[in-house]
Amino acid sequence: MENAFGLIYTGDASMELRELTFSRSVAAVPFGGRYRSIDFMLSNLVNTGIYNVGIIAQRNYHSLMDHLESGKEWDLHRKRDGLFILPPFVTHDNTGVYKGTVDAIRSCMGYIRRSSQRYVVLMGSHTIYNTTFNDMIKKHEESGADITVLYNVEENYDLSEQYDDLRLKFDANGRVTDLAINPRDSESKFCSCDAFVMEKTLLEYLVEDAYAHARYDFTNDVLVRNVKTLNVRGYEYKGYVARLNSINAYYRHNMALLDKAVTKDLFSHDHPIYTKVKDEFPASYVGDGRAVNSIVADGCVIEGTVENSILFRGVKIGRGAVVKNSIIMQAAEIGENASLNCVILDKGVAVGNNRTLSGYGTYPVVLRKGTKI
Amino acid sequence: MPKKKIIAMLLAGGQGSRLGVLTKSMAKPAVPFGGKYRIIDFPLSNCVNSDIDTVGVLTQYEPLALNSYLGSGQPWDLDRMNGGVFVLPPYVSGSEGQWYSGTANAIYQNIQFIDQYDPEYVLILSGDHIYKMDYSKMLKFHEKKQADATIAVLTVPMEEASRFGIMKADADDRIIDFEEKPKHPKSNKASMGIYIFNWRTLRPYLVQDEADKSSEHDFGKNIIPKLLSDGAGLYAWSFSGYWKDVGTIKSLWEANMDLIGKTPEFRLADKDWRIYSKSQAMPPHYIGTDARVKNSLVSEGCVVYGSVETSVLFTGAHIGKGAVVKNSIVMPNAVIGDGAVINKAIIGEGAVIGANAKIGDERLPEDGEYDTKLTGDITLVANTVTVPADKRVPVGMIVK
């Protein structure tokens, strides 16, 4: 058991994911055939031995709460500690609408104060990876850092995909000398993974201090602003990182799962990723149904052809239908002889018989939840 | 403790010796079935779906796999404040202690457990059948008939009738004759080993039967005939639907095959009657570029690079490049090496088949004599066994 608790912020504006976040927060965006983004954050914490987790909910959190329930799927339904969902609320000094992350964290100060652990792992909800924080916390203690930032080497530098892109620069001793958010040039390839370790008391102080000075954004007004006065250090994560910061990135990172090395990184045997169990039956290949280079979840019934695609739970592919290079979310139904290429179908989309839909690898067509064609 | 209307007692102590090496280290109810389930998931899910929230599971033979599988009962929604799932092994009381010596004795030894709930009815189930049944309908029938006991019956082919408890019922469904495994069956209405008893009626019979040293302490052989001869109200509730005793290698193989296809014999894709099981937290399965999967069930965690036809792949199975799997069952986490050929076989949990090995290969004179009494034409590789590369295993052989 680590002497730390987790605090996950799920209020990202997330407009970059367009249709996928019309009815849900980024934390609840489906990923990888049976998961949602937040499953990775929660599993990382639980696999670390952190069993006290607060989730700051802000926008569209109904879908998130529905997914999390009591937290039992992550072993977080506990008498001591466990899962705490922290939605906005209205009091005399809290309007219920957060002005920014600082405001959001401040509104759950009660939870933070009550948490008995010394350290906090503060996380966002759109960066997906599989790790444990044990070594990072140990290094944090040893180095005497005020804040340790988890980062990876990110070569990708597409300005159109920049969202909360926090780049780090180090001095010779490994201390972070500069933090820049969404910089316009690629001076640094060290990119924050949106996970920070610090002492709980420091978080309390920084948040209260920023709030008192009418500063509301944690990244800008706390981290970037104080990088010269605080001892900020980095901890490198070497595995695969999926940043869900645009539709293209979302598409690319899902498709990357067809690469065995990526799957191995994201779904390690020692550190399983837990999610809500749906008790679907095993996928059934029927008649001429077949799949090639694809990921298929339980509950799917495949009578057509599926190629280079990701099928979530309970998807039905009709006879003669051909699905290529696509992401098909839970319970979508594809009619007979339909033809799909480079599409992202959200949950419960129904495509009629003989319909054809095609996007491009660089611009996949996205159909929002429940669309009927 | 609040009173319960009905509780279920699930007999899960069977060794299942006819399943051979598959039950070497686990009781029959813990044997994997249908890609992601274990046999016991079916009666447990039936209970929950029938609104029965208290289930005693009577274990005896190799209980470890079963105990750890059941855990708190959470996967079946049986982690309850009042009720839930309970593992009930035989125990020592005072200086006395004994194994369960028969189905009736097993219930007798747990009279205290049942009495805690002071139930009106006790449902007796066995843990080795695959079926979906709404026990609440059977209970309604039982109440309507004001029966002392109700037995679920299934019409079986006449030639198989002598394997079952066979009964004759009158026009009102009242049982007038019951014979356990008769040589010359008078009807083809077979007992499914599923009983509802009025607890007040059954309790004294269990006590009385226990005192009878000549009794085999068996429901079919002793309790039911005794109730019948005493003129108790025994009724037959007819069940029509899929029901399979998976007590043999052949029936286990067949029942798995019955799940395959667009309109399978036994439909798992039933949103109104879900079968629950413990999740292994595995990612969805992956089908490789040169893989070919046809007419099969594939579970989470599987990785398929070879060719699979009319087979059931269980959670975490791995099918290597160029491997050919046909008419087979590949149990959880088994690994089929590159180029291996698997034909009409059951590959046990965690077994490893070496590259280019042939399982279920044609029988040749040099294979010599071996026993196929349990297997027939199905080849069986035991759990966690490693079959070396290039090895031939002929039809019906058991590799242990």
Side-chain angles (χ1 to χ4, degrees):
Chain A
M1 201 86 99
E2 278 291 344
N3 193 8
F5 67 101
L7 191 58
I8 306 173
Y9 176 71
T10 71
D12 296 281
S14 67
M15 291 315 290
E16 287 75 4
L17 289 176
R18 301 193 332 235
E19 290 87 343
L20 301 184
T21 45
F22 273 2
S23 60
R24 55 170 86 88
S25 58
V26 184
V29 164
F31 183 84
R34 69 182 293 232
Y35 304 95
R36 292 182 188 246
S37 171
I38 196 152
D39 292 338
F40 291 83
M41 287 107 222
L42 288 176
S43 302
N44 287 342
L45 289 169
V46 167
N47 289 333
T48 299
I50 293 174
Y51 288 98
N52 180 11
V53 180
I55 294 182
I56 304 176
Q58 184 166 359
R59 301 162 190 264
N60 302 339
Y61 54 84
H62 170 235
S63 148
L64 185 63
M65 290 188 62
D66 183 41
H67 180 68
L68 295 171
E69 287 180 331
S70 67
K72 67 180 177 187
E73 310 285 9
W74 299 267
D75 220 357
L76 285 172
H77 61 314
R78 300 259 160 179
K79 287 209 167 175
R80 280 186 59 195
D81 295 337
L83 181 72
F84 297 85
I85 298 176
L86 309 162
F89 54 90
V90 180
T91 60
H92 70 279
D93 65 350
N94 185 343
T95 59
V97 178
Y98 301 138
K99 296 188 195 82
T101 32
V102 164
D103 208 9
I105 296 170
R106 189 175 171 270
S107 78
C108 48
M109 241 0 148
Y111 162 75
I112 295 171
R113 285 202 191 97
R114 267 200 316 277
S115 295
S116 60
Q117 291 81 5
R118 179 167 176 190
Y119 297 102
V120 56
V121 182
L122 185 66
M123 307 169 91
S125 56
H126 69 277
T127 310
I128 287 174
Y129 46 86
N130 183 349
T131 190
T132 55
F133 300 110
N134 307 81
D135 191 50
M136 179 176 171
I137 294 171
K138 197 167 148 239
K139 293 279 157 45
H140 176 80
E141 284 174 337
E142 287 168 1
S143 69
D146 293 317
I147 298 176
T148 301
V149 185
L150 188 72
Y151 72 93
N152 76 321
V153 173
E154 178 62 271
E155 304 286 0
N156 181 34
Y157 209 80
D158 186 344
L159 287 180
S160 70
E161 284 183 12
Q162 267 189 342
Y163 175 81
D164 233 355
D165 187 347
L166 186 64
R167 299 273 165 163
L168 292 73
K169 279 186 206 162
F170 299 97
D171 69 9
N173 302 318
R175 184 172 164 179
V176 176
T177 53
D178 185 51
L179 284 169
I181 188 154
N182 301 338
R184 303 310 289 178
D185 57 72
S186 55
E187 279 177 55
S188 166
K189 56 182 199 275
F190 305 120
C191 189
S192 154
C193 293
D194 224 0
F196 309 91
V197 171
M198 70 194 90
E199 284 202 32
K200 165 183 120 163
T201 47
L202 178 63
L203 178 70
E204 287 176 68
Y205 168 77
L206 290 173
V207 165
E208 291 296 0
D209 185 57
Y211 188 81
H213 292 91
R215 299 184 189 125
Y216 301 111
D217 186 74
F218 191 79
T219 316
N220 268 316
D221 299 332
V222 176
L223 294 174
V224 174
R225 196 181 180 93
N226 293 318
V227 72
K228 297 279 189 276
T229 50
L230 290 171
N231 180 5
V232 180
R233 291 188 173 259
Y235 183 87
E236 188 182 355
Y237 173 65
K238 294 200 170 75
Y240 188 82
V241 178
R243 294 187 169 82
L244 306 184
N245 43 16
S246 70
I247 283 286
N248 279 352
Y250 176 82
Y251 180 74
R252 199 172 60 238
H253 289 306
N254 268 286
M255 288 302 162
L257 294 173
L258 299 176
D259 176 349
K260 200 177 160 194
V262 172
T263 314
K264 226 175 153 183
D265 248 17
L266 280 180
F267 303 107
S268 127
H269 259 298
D270 299 334
H271 308 134
I273 302 299
Y274 301 99
T275 186
K276 186 172 175 177
V277 172
K278 303 256 192 214
D279 293 288
E280 293 281 2
F281 52 94
S284 186
Y285 292 84
V286 175
D288 292 325
R290 63 176 301 185
V292 175
N293 190 36
S294 293
I295 283 174
V296 180
D298 275 4
C300 289
V301 178
I302 301 177
E303 294 183 70
T305 302
V306 179
E307 243 180 84
N308 307 329
S309 295
I310 315 277
L311 304 192
F312 282 67
R313 290 182 278 203
V315 168
K316 309 243 176 327
I317 308 287
R319 223 159 16 128
V322 178
V323 175
K324 285 183 182 174
N325 310 309
S326 294
I327 299 167
I328 316 286
M329 289 189 204
Q330 197 185 314
E333 295 196 15
I334 314 302
E336 290 178 13
N337 301 314
S339 167
L340 305 179
N341 185 27
C342 295
V343 300
I344 300 174
L345 305 189
D346 205 329
K347 283 170 73 173
V349 168
V351 176
N353 295 348
N354 308 311
R355 299 284 186 269
T356 299
L357 276 176
S358 184
Y360 286 93
T362 49
Y363 198 95
V365 170
V366 185
L367 296 189
R368 65 184 289 186
K369 197 170 165 180
T371 308
K372 306 265 179 282
I373 294 198
Chain B
M1 202 173 290
K3 187 175 157 65
K4 292 273 177 194
K5 182 174 177 186
I6 182 166
I7 71 168
M9 298 295 275
L10 205 163
L11 299 161
Q15 181 182 349
S17 53
R18 286 173 302 156
L19 285 176
V21 291
L22 288 177
T23 49
K24 202 177 127 209
S25 61
M26 64 176 81
K28 186 153 68 165
V31 169
F33 180 83
K36 63 183 290 193
Y37 308 96
R38 291 182 186 263
I39 294 170
I40 198 167
D41 288 332
F42 290 82
L44 280 182
S45 301
N46 285 339
C47 281
V48 175
N49 290 335
S50 306
D51 285 333
I52 295 172
D53 63 7
T54 307
V55 185
V57 178
L58 296 101
T59 61
Q60 171 154 293
Y61 173 80
E62 286 288 349
L64 179 65
L66 201 54
N67 286 359
S68 58
Y69 185 67
L70 293 174
S72 67
Q74 185 254 322
W76 305 271
D77 229 354
L78 284 172
D79 51 335
R80 304 284 178 120
M81 293 274 273
N82 173 29
V85 64
F86 298 87
V87 176
L88 304 169
Y91 59 92
V92 175
S93 142
S95 61
E96 301 272 317
Q98 60 161 320
W99 295 107
Y100 295 147
S101 58
T103 50
N105 172 263
I107 304 296
Y108 169 81
Q109 290 201 45
N110 288 289
I111 282 179
Q112 279 182 4
F113 170 80
I114 300 171
D115 278 346
Q116 290 180 96
Y117 294 99
D118 188 21
E120 273 175 69
Y121 309 107
V122 174
L123 170 69
I124 310 283
L125 301 169
S126 64
D128 39 17
H129 298 139
I130 301 296
Y131 63 110
K132 294 187 278 189
M133 184 190 280
D134 189 344
Y135 304 132
S136 70
K137 285 186 180 154
M138 181 173 171
L139 179 61
K140 253 193 202 121
F141 172 91
H142 180 86
E143 288 178 304
K144 198 177 123 214
K145 297 290 182 189
Q146 298 185 312
D148 290 306
T150 298
I151 304 176
V153 299
L154 187 76
T155 307
V156 297
M158 204 64 195
E159 61 272 19
E160 283 179 34
S162 57
R163 284 173 41 218
F164 296 93
I166 292 298
M167 61 203 87
K168 253 172 88 173
D170 66 14
D172 187 38
D173 298 316
R174 186 165 177 157
I175 298 168
I176 45 179
D177 188 40
F178 182 94
E179 284 180 288
E180 184 68 13
K181 296 182 181 147
K183 279 211 177 72
H184 306 288
K186 293 179 198 129
S187 100
N188 58 351
K189 287 206 177 307
S191 162
M192 302 167 70
I194 299 166
Y195 314 101
I196 291 177
F197 289 102
N198 291 352
W199 180 232
R200 225 167 300 139
T201 310
L202 178 63
R203 199 182 187 284
Y205 273 86
L206 291 175
V207 176
Q208 193 187 10
D209 180 72
E210 187 59 23
D212 179 0
K213 293 296 166 221
S214 68
S215 169
E216 288 177 58
H217 309 305
D218 185 86
F219 277 104
K221 287 180 192 146
N222 309 102
I223 303 284
I224 303 289
K226 186 78 171 68
L227 277 163
L228 199 60
S229 68
D230 288 355
L234 267 62
Y235 285 82
W237 182 70
S238 296
F239 174 77
S240 60
Y242 186 91
W243 181 80
K244 193 124 186 162
D245 181 341
V246 284
T248 65
I249 300 286
K250 182 163 177 273
S251 62
L252 181 69
W253 182 85
E254 283 173 354
N256 273 284
M257 292 298 141
D258 286 345
L259 306 171
I260 296 174
K262 177 143 172 95
T263 46
E265 289 279 307
F266 185 55
R267 197 169 143 259
L268 285 173
D270 187 348
K271 287 215 165 22
D272 300 328
W273 206 266
R274 258 183 223 276
I275 305 300
Y276 303 99
S277 69
K278 192 166 184 170
S279 163
Q280 303 302 312
M282 295 240 198
H285 71 259
Y286 173 73
I287 309 286
T289 308
D290 302 318
R292 182 80 180 91
V293 178
K294 204 179 165 184
N295 197 36
S296 296
L297 292 190
V298 184
S299 310
E300 277 163 348
C302 288
V303 176
V304 182
Y305 294 109
S307 154
V308 177
E309 196 179 330
T310 319
S311 295
V312 179
L313 305 188
F314 286 65
T315 314
H318 178 103
I319 314 294
K321 279 196 184 83
V324 178
V325 179
K326 242 184 178 175
N327 303 317
S328 293
I329 296 167
V330 183
M331 287 199 172
N333 303 312
V335 177
I336 312 296
D338 294 354
V341 177
I342 316 291
N343 199 7
K344 201 170 184 183
I346 299 178
I347 309 299
E349 217 172 330
V352 178
I353 310 298
N356 303 314
K358 289 195 162 96
I359 310 293
D361 201 32
E362 203 182 331
R363 187 168 182 166
L364 299 174
E366 66 252 39
D367 295 325
E369 279 305 302
Y370 56 89
D371 190 2
T372 60
K373 202 167 73 224
L374 288 176
T375 53
D377 62 347
I378 297 162
T379 311
L380 177 61
V381 176
N383 301 339
T384 66
V385 160
T386 300
V387 174
D390 302 312
K391 180 147 171 88
R392 270 186 67 252
V393 179
V395 173
M397 190 180 257
I398 300 178
V399 186
K400 35 185 153 176

